[in-house]
Amino acid sequence: MMDLVIRDAEVVDGTGEPSYRADVGIEGGRITTVVKEAAAAGCLRPVARRVLDAEGLVLSPGFIDMHAHSDLALLRDPDHSAKAAQGVTLEVLGQDGLSYAPVDDRTLAEVRRAITGWNGYGDDIDFDWRSVGEYLDRLDRGIAVNAAYLIPQGTVRMLAVGWEDRAATPQELDRMRQLVAEGMEQGAVGMSSGLTYTPGMYAEDAELTELCRVVAEYGGYYCPHHRSYGAGALEAYEEMVALTREAGCPLHLAHSTMNFGVNKGKAPDLLALLDKALAQGADISLDTYPYTPGCTTLVAMLPSWASEGGPEAILERLADEDTAERIRHHMEVVGADGCHGVPIEWDTIEISGVIDPALAPYVGRTVRQSADQRGEAPWVTARRLLLDDRLGSTILQHVGHEENVQAIMRHPVHTGGSDGILRGDKPHPRAYGTFPQYLGRYVRELGVLSLEECVAHLTGRPAARLRLPDRGLVREGYRADLVLFDPATVAAGSTFEAPRTLPTGIPHVLVDGRFVIEDGRRTDVLAGRAVRRTPR
């Protein structure tokens, strides 16, 4: 007798093919039986210790978040309803070239400071790992959903080179190759970069190509946050396509947007570039979130020269009047590389979170709104906030275009990624709403994608990119990572005004055949584990 039978579900299986009605049996964490049209055909129906009536519900593979920032949240918050309640059963961590493995004691302290705005400093975390393998072992102790890991190239450079803006020496490059190889051997699925974040952005293409060669040897992929999503965005995409083809490494483009005024209506140009490369044999995929604003840290907007040397050096430069004026000029007049080569527009920069509670009045307001209230220039307000919050403030950046968002999500190599930063008083609603937003707004309301297409984008396609042989489809023998949702009511509850509201219309989510969401409520099950790279 099986553990569970989900009876009379409308199965959308992750392939993109038409849905079908079926009974699905689960035993030992795997799908053991899929009986199509069991009731209509008069078949002997599968039996189990528990039967769940799924009449009116869609059964699909669990959703795969291809761009998550839950590196500490999975350890800090066993509940993790932000993702579990969306139907996410696997997150890909280690994004944007900055995360917590591999590290030594010095680098760990530096990276904790550098991405405080993403994950908090981690005072509540026991950092009892240093290598990629040790971090994955830590996840294996039990987490809410499964997690895969990308080796963060910026952290690797931090270890081997430091925070200097220069080319790596041959010895340093060898050390980086070794670190990447070790991380891949220990189970990472690929490597990420944050090429508008220091110190990863200091790497030249030749250095990145050499590291990508190592990733390719192990069957992994390269996931760059490339050098610009604003001025020069198309050139930045083209650079990554050329780099990975030279290295023979699959490419997955992180949060593939065309933002800022200079790129309004230019998504077709990006897609034409990708189609040409695909036709020539390139192995490319991408992810997006279904919203127009972006989210990052306020310090990320600074020019790269102002960030050389790490967080303490940044604070020293901001405290110096002459240097601070140079920073302002680059940001407001020239267009800093941290702001994607576009002069910053302070009325698009909304403060979403602060470390110091005394700074809470800034949250929910743009920098310009706070500056106007104080009767000062926006840079004066931004500089004070950077100094007083010691670089920990997060922002929403309202610079996207809906027509670009819709055009890119239609592309056949598209996958879903929340890019969800879970900390802050007013986080981006994508952290709590990305996957139901796809299903509710872009499938049911707008018809941008069919239900079958959308589910394939969120399940089967990302599983193929991750080279997971037994996840991402509703198929006998596959892992029972599953979600049941009501296609008529599924919707993101999160909004910009109430970003931590959980979604509606997703009553059941299973990880490894166990209910993590049951009847719309989080259980105490911690069935998630590290998902390691599958050997070639």
Side-chain angles (χ1 to χ4, degrees):
M1 183 174 289
M2 289 177 286
D3 299 325
L4 172 69
V5 167
I6 301 171
R7 185 162 288 175
D8 291 324
E10 189 67 23
V11 176
V12 179
D13 66 6
T15 64
E17 294 298 313
S19 66
Y20 54 86
R21 194 174 180 87
D23 291 356
V24 176
I26 297 166
E27 184 176 1
R30 291 188 180 271
I31 300 169
T32 55
T33 305
V34 179
V35 183
K36 296 184 179 181
E37 306 294 344
C43 299
L44 183 64
R45 307 189 77 171
V47 294
R49 282 179 284 276
R50 176 177 176 182
V51 175
L52 176 64
D53 181 4
E55 181 71 37
L57 298 177
V58 166
L59 174 67
S60 83
F63 305 134
I64 298 176
D65 189 342
M66 287 294 286
H67 193 107
H69 287 284
S70 303
D71 307 48
L72 299 186
L74 275 167
L75 303 178
R76 173 186 294 124
D77 176 20
D79 182 80
H80 204 52
S81 288
K83 294 300 181 65
Q86 294 185 57
V88 171
T89 58
L90 171 60
E91 298 183 274
V92 184
L93 313 177
Q95 300 288 347
D96 295 331
L98 290 167
S99 191
Y100 306 93
V103 292
D104 57 18
D105 291 349
R106 172 189 61 83
T107 305
L108 176 60
E110 291 174 346
V111 77
R112 288 174 67 184
R113 283 289 311 280
I115 53 176
T116 295
W118 294 355
N119 299 309
Y121 186 65
D123 288 330
D124 50 349
I125 301 292
D126 178 12
F127 289 88
D128 58 352
W129 68 86
R130 293 297 179 268
S131 70
V132 170
E134 289 168 347
Y135 176 68
L136 297 178
D137 289 344
R138 175 67 180 277
L139 297 177
D140 274 341
R141 297 180 198 173
I143 48 180
V145 302
N146 298 307
Y149 190 72
L150 295 166
I151 301 164
Q153 171 259 331
T155 303
V156 167
R157 198 172 211 272
M158 210 183 297
L159 261 172
V161 181
W163 291 83
E164 299 175 37
D165 183 2
R166 62 171 176 81
T169 67
Q171 294 77 17
E172 289 166 342
L173 183 55
D174 284 344
R175 174 63 174 145
M176 286 189 279
R177 287 195 195 98
Q178 178 187 2
L179 289 166
V180 172
E182 289 173 354
M184 295 300 296
E185 289 171 358
Q186 292 164 10
V189 295
M191 181 180 75
S192 75
S193 284
L195 300 179
T196 64
Y197 300 129
T198 55
M201 69 188 303
Y202 299 142
E204 297 177 353
D205 283 3
E207 178 181 313
L208 296 171
T209 301
E210 289 303 308
L211 300 183
C212 283
R213 292 188 199 279
V214 177
V215 172
E217 289 174 6
Y218 287 90
Y221 67 93
Y222 180 44
C223 179
H225 164 129
H226 52 267
R227 299 191 193 274
S228 176
Y229 291 84
L234 285 173
E235 292 81 1
Y237 280 111
E238 192 168 15
E239 174 191 8
M240 295 297 102
V241 171
L243 186 157
T244 49
R245 292 202 69 182
E246 172 68 21
C249 185
L251 173 65
H252 181 84
L253 295 162
H255 40 56
S256 293
T257 58
M258 292 289 287
N259 283 344
F260 303 91
V262 295
N263 289 318
K264 184 175 175 59
K266 288 189 176 181
D269 297 337
L270 166 62
L271 300 179
L273 185 160
L274 298 181
D275 286 338
K276 180 180 178 181
L278 289 163
Q280 293 172 346
D283 184 354
I284 301 172
S285 56
L286 58 85
D287 66 68
T288 70
Y289 47 84
Y291 299 88
T292 52
C295 178
T296 186
T297 55
L298 184 57
V299 67
M301 298 291 100
L302 301 183
S304 57
W305 61 262
S307 297
E308 185 177 6
E312 289 303 321
I314 297 171
L315 291 168
E316 290 176 9
R317 292 186 182 103
L318 287 167
D320 179 78
E321 293 295 336
D322 291 341
T323 309
E325 174 56 24
R326 284 183 60 210
I327 294 172
R328 183 205 65 78
H329 180 78
H330 272 82
M331 294 178 72
E332 294 186 348
V333 180
V334 177
D337 47 5
C339 194
H340 306 276
V342 176
I344 197 163
E345 297 174 336
W346 294 112
D347 54 354
T348 69
I349 306 296
E350 178 185 352
I351 304 302
S352 60
V354 292
I355 300 297
D356 185 348
L359 302 172
Y362 288 97
V363 175
R365 297 177 177 174
T366 68
V367 171
R368 185 172 296 280
Q369 286 171 334
S370 290
D372 288 348
Q373 185 181 49
R374 299 175 67 92
E376 61 192 18
W379 168 244
V380 174
T381 300
R383 179 189 176 197
R384 179 187 299 108
L385 188 55
L386 286 162
L387 287 167
D388 290 353
D389 211 27
R390 297 191 62 79
L391 313 180
S393 305
T394 51
I395 63 170
L396 302 180
Q397 195 169 17
H398 297 272
V399 292
H401 308 286
E402 180 65 21
E403 68 272 29
N404 286 348
V405 170
Q406 293 191 25
I408 294 169
M409 75 170 64
R410 290 189 184 100
H411 197 275
V413 302
H414 168 267
T415 67
S418 70
D419 197 11
I421 295 175
L422 297 169
R423 66 160 302 278
D425 299 302
K426 193 174 179 287
H428 196 303
R430 68 193 186 193
Y432 285 72
T434 285
F435 295 88
Q437 178 83 339
Y438 271 117
L439 297 168
R441 177 165 172 75
Y442 288 95
V443 172
R444 184 180 64 246
E445 296 177 8
L446 299 180
V448 175
L449 295 168
S450 72
L451 181 59
E452 290 86 353
E453 287 172 326
C454 186
V455 169
H457 286 219
L458 306 181
T459 61
R461 187 169 302 152
R465 165 52 74 213
L466 294 167
R467 298 181 63 244
L468 302 178
D470 60 354
R471 298 178 195 266
L473 301 176
V474 178
R475 185 170 289 176
E476 291 179 1
Y478 274 54
R479 293 277 185 181
D481 295 344
L482 300 167
V483 57
L484 283 145
F485 62 89
D486 182 346
T489 63
V490 62
S494 59
T495 64
F496 287 98
E497 292 72 31
R500 286 195 170 88
T501 307
L502 295 179
T504 57
I506 305 179
H508 304 292
V509 181
L510 294 91
V511 174
D512 201 35
R514 302 167 65 191
F515 285 91
V516 296
I517 299 291
E518 186 172 11
D519 295 323
R521 295 181 177 85
R522 179 71 172 94
T523 70
D524 60 1
V525 168
L526 295 176
R529 297 295 185 270
V531 175
R532 291 167 169 82
R533 176 188 56 84
T534 303
R536 281 185 182 276

